[in-house]
Amino acid sequence: MRPEAKLRVLAMDEAAGWAVVNKPAGMHCSPCEFNAALLTFEAYLPALVPPPTEAMPGRGVKVCHRLDFRVCGPVVVASSQEMMRRIKRLFEERRVAKEYRAIICGKIGSEVGTKLVVAEPLDGMAAESRVEVLQVVPCPHFGHLTEVALHPVTGRHQQLRRHCAEGLGAPIVNDEPAMFEKASQAWFQREQRPMPKALRRGGGQLFLQAVHIQLPATKTTASRDSAASG
């Protein structure tokens, strides 16, 4: 089994009560009204993350942020009340650095190393994603495929998927047909030809993965490496 498909602890501070755990794709982070009958990522956490040894326990081990159902990668979790509050505050203050990798349809930028900023609002709220081109390869269906590093500055719903599709006109490989429809206008402006039909590749998994997350050092985390990669 590939490492990114395994539930595994990437970093942990048992005393303070927090950890970084890899979430496989195809799994919801936490229960909600439409997945109540399914096992979620949170349901497995007690078997991986013990209660804190030097802090007030929370109500079990809970996720501090969300990762899309179709995306795998590191998720920060907390087993103590204090670390849950602190880590959520860091996310609210946009002090947590996150990096994703994606393969998108088409060619963006003039060359490898090109850096772009997508700052199109989503659902009436400000949203910003930073993009770096890592590799471009030929593709018989889309003309080219581009590997990119994605750094979300904000955390809107499906932000990276929508910014790739709506902002760049380059939907992520294996994304939903609706994302290809949203990308069609920007694609045509860039490529000067209609957007090809969505085509499933490599088993249909979304070609988007969280690869790195880093929290700033605090009095609680300064003695440990607060970065983790999937």
Side-chain angles (χ1 to χ4, degrees):
M1 183 181 292
R2 296 169 62 92
E4 62 268 23
K6 296 180 181 178
L7 275 161
R8 57 195 177 99
V9 176
L10 304 173
M12 181 164 61
D13 186 332
E14 187 175 342
W18 69 280
V20 182
V21 181
N22 185 70
K23 182 191 85 69
M27 181 179 292
H28 291 285
C29 275
S30 55
C32 60
E33 59 184 14
F34 59 82
N35 68 14
L38 302 176
L39 279 176
T40 64
F41 177 64
E42 276 192 346
Y44 292 96
L45 292 178
L48 299 171
V49 181
T53 58
E54 298 179 10
M56 179 68 69
R59 295 183 178 180
V61 190
K62 304 294 183 183
V63 298
C64 300
H65 61 109
R66 294 184 182 276
L67 196 60
D68 193 296
F69 172 79
R70 298 184 67 190
V71 179
C72 65
V75 175
V76 184
V77 305
S79 59
S80 74
Q81 297 178 14
E82 178 62 21
M83 288 311 298
M84 176 62 77
R85 286 193 294 266
R86 289 191 183 191
I87 293 171
K88 284 202 167 188
R89 189 179 307 120
L90 292 174
F91 276 96
E92 291 169 359
E93 295 172 351
R94 301 179 186 174
R95 297 173 60 195
V96 179
K98 295 175 283 184
E99 180 180 348
Y100 294 71
R101 295 290 174 86
I103 298 178
I104 58 178
C105 303
K107 180 180 179 181
I108 64 167
S110 57
E111 59 185 9
V112 172
T114 297
K115 294 183 179 181
L116 307 166
V117 175
V118 182
E120 294 191 6
L122 296 174
D123 303 322
M125 296 181 288
E128 181 178 329
S129 303
R130 295 172 185 171
V131 184
E132 181 179 359
V133 177
L134 302 178
Q135 183 178 190
V136 181
V137 297
C139 173
H141 186 70
F142 295 108
H144 293 88
L145 295 175
T146 303
E147 181 185 2
V148 292
L150 301 170
H151 301 269
V153 178
T154 52
R156 308 306 178 202
H157 178 60
Q158 296 185 344
Q159 175 176 314
L160 296 178
R161 294 167 63 185
R162 295 175 65 184
H163 270 173
C164 286
E166 300 171 30
L168 299 175
I172 296 172
V173 173
N174 288 345
D175 212 334
E176 302 297 333
M179 290 294 182
F180 280 76
E181 293 175 8
K182 292 177 180 179
S184 59
Q185 184 175 353
W187 169 282
F188 186 84
Q189 291 175 349
R190 187 185 69 250
E191 302 283 347
Q192 294 300 300
R193 64 187 179 96
M195 178 87 210
K197 292 183 178 180
L199 180 68
R200 293 287 179 181
R201 302 173 65 93
Q205 291 286 350
L206 183 68
F207 279 40
L208 173 64
Q209 178 179 348
V211 297
H212 186 77
I213 190 163
Q214 184 168 1
L215 280 66
T218 67
K219 290 181 180 179
T220 306
T221 63
S223 61
R224 298 185 59 86
D225 179 6
S226 55
S229 300

